Amino acid sequence: MTVLLVVVAAALVAAGGVALGQSDSGDDPAQPVAVESAIPAWRDLERAQEDLELALGVRESVQMAMDRTMDELHLELARLDKLHNTDTGQQLLMDEAERLVVQEYISGGDVEDFAFILGVSEATDALWRKALLSEVSELIDQALDAVDDVSGERDRTGARIGRLNDTIPYLNSRLFDADQSVEAAEWVVYIAEINDMADREMAQNGFIPPTERHWYNLRFCESTDNYTAESANGLFYGAYQFEPRTWRTVGGTGNPAHAPPEEQDARARLLYARRGDQPWPRDYCGRFLPRN
């Protein structure tokens, strides 16, 4: 399903014939009874927008996880390349050891504290400084031991690369699902915007809002509630039996019968909001709509 991000609303053509035609069936269909249901997201613009923001947030989180994984993988691959040579591997491990010592040293206190510690001459402070430097010395010893184990570090790096590679398909799957969720949420917002426009124009024009039962009975009369219906004479399409030109006046494109049910519902509501029950002959299916 292609998601349209902008609602295309064409200007209503004042003179243009009947927008929705009556069903070709000869007999008046029985009146069905529809059950009222909770308002779906595509009828609630605020909720639809909130759902879209949530879906976008999830996709952003998954994308960030993917980016971090790829960055880490590239670093580990570059590291492994250096570790394949003993000399460059030892230099790499020595450089990493030095950075580790500095990080551990700095993490023990802020710069001012260490400048003070290293500059004092009192005996007690000197002992404090000696103890601190002793801890750093242990780190240096551990780092030097690691330098001699290039082969072991190469194996450990390879294992980390394997785990990262195993993670990528899972993240790709999650990213695909997140993209699908965003696309679906964008489509819901698109339909909700049409319904919101219909609600506002209906109120401005003073038309009585039809209930779900009104709409269901209208659809049943026009097409037996068949959203893919096409009249035998080839003039009317979809559950509301739109004429193509009328479908276009409310922003529709293509064949109305090929549009999703939610879009057909929304554009029928927008047509009613602009023209009331006029597009549906009142002596036939239009009688199921409120009389304004």
Side-chain angles (χ1 to χ4, degrees):
M1 178 186 301
T2 300
V3 178
L4 301 178
L5 300 180
V6 179
V7 176
V8 181
L12 179 61
V13 179
V18 178
L20 300 180
Q22 65 184 38
S23 171
D24 288 331
S25 59
D27 299 330
D28 197 353
Q31 298 182 24
V33 176
V35 178
E36 298 288 347
S37 59
I39 297 177
W42 54 81
R43 287 287 305 279
D44 186 339
L45 181 56
E46 182 177 357
R47 174 184 162 194
Q49 291 171 334
E50 290 174 352
D51 289 346
L52 175 57
E53 288 299 317
L54 180 61
L56 288 169
V58 170
R59 184 176 67 179
E60 182 180 7
S61 297
V62 176
Q63 185 63 61
M64 289 175 61
M66 174 64 83
D67 292 342
R68 287 194 301 268
T69 300
M70 295 303 298
D71 289 344
E72 188 174 349
L73 177 59
H74 291 150
L75 290 173
E76 294 291 352
L77 286 170
R79 189 170 189 271
L80 182 61
D81 186 59
K82 292 182 178 180
L83 290 170
H84 278 305
N85 180 281
T86 302
D87 291 338
T88 57
Q90 286 182 333
Q91 185 59 52
L92 170 68
L93 295 177
M94 179 63 75
D95 293 342
E96 291 178 347
E98 291 177 355
R99 286 195 297 272
L100 175 63
V101 169
V102 172
Q103 290 171 359
E104 290 293 331
Y105 188 70
I106 294 300
S107 66
D110 59 37
V111 175
E112 290 79 4
D113 289 340
F114 280 108
F116 173 76
I117 291 170
L118 297 177
V120 297
S121 58
E122 289 83 355
T124 54
D125 289 333
L127 290 174
W128 185 13
R129 178 178 57 185
K130 182 178 180 181
L132 180 64
L133 295 180
S134 176
E135 293 180 5
V136 175
S137 178
E138 291 180 12
L139 286 172
I140 294 175
D141 291 340
Q142 293 172 7
L144 290 175
D145 290 340
V147 169
D148 294 330
D149 189 20
V150 174
S151 176
E153 192 58 31
R154 184 167 54 242
D155 293 341
R156 288 187 286 272
T157 301
R160 287 195 296 272
I161 290 173
R163 289 194 295 271
L164 291 169
N165 277 324
D166 291 342
T167 302
I168 291 173
Y170 165 73
L171 290 175
N172 272 327
S173 176
R174 286 199 59 197
L175 193 57
F176 176 82
D177 291 342
D179 284 337
Q180 293 293 102
S181 296
V182 169
E183 184 177 356
E186 287 174 337
W187 181 81
V188 172
V189 169
Y190 171 59
I191 300 301
E193 288 174 336
I194 303 172
N195 278 309
D196 183 68
M197 187 186 306
D199 290 337
R200 288 185 282 106
E201 293 192 24
M202 209 177 299
Q204 291 170 2
N205 293 327
F207 292 145
I208 300 171
T211 64
E212 292 304 313
R213 179 172 181 173
H214 286 131
W215 288 118
Y216 183 81
N217 288 340
L218 174 67
R219 291 194 303 271
F220 194 89
C221 176
E222 289 284 353
S223 63
T224 64
D225 197 30
N226 180 5
Y227 283 89
T228 62
E230 298 187 12
S231 64
N233 60 13
L235 297 178
F236 308 108
Y237 301 88
Y240 300 91
Q241 293 290 276
F242 271 99
E243 281 185 330
R245 61 179 176 177
T246 305
W247 175 251
R248 291 191 294 271
T249 68
V250 288
T253 59
N255 186 335
H258 297 167
E262 296 82 7
E263 182 177 359
Q264 293 187 43
D265 292 345
R267 298 202 186 282
R269 295 183 74 250
L270 184 57
L271 182 64
Y272 176 86
R274 293 175 174 177
R275 297 173 62 182
D277 60 7
Q278 184 273 330
W280 297 271
R282 179 150 287 280
D283 60 352
Y284 194 63
C285 294
R287 70 185 186 276
F288 293 112
L289 292 172
R291 183 182 293 275
N292 292 296

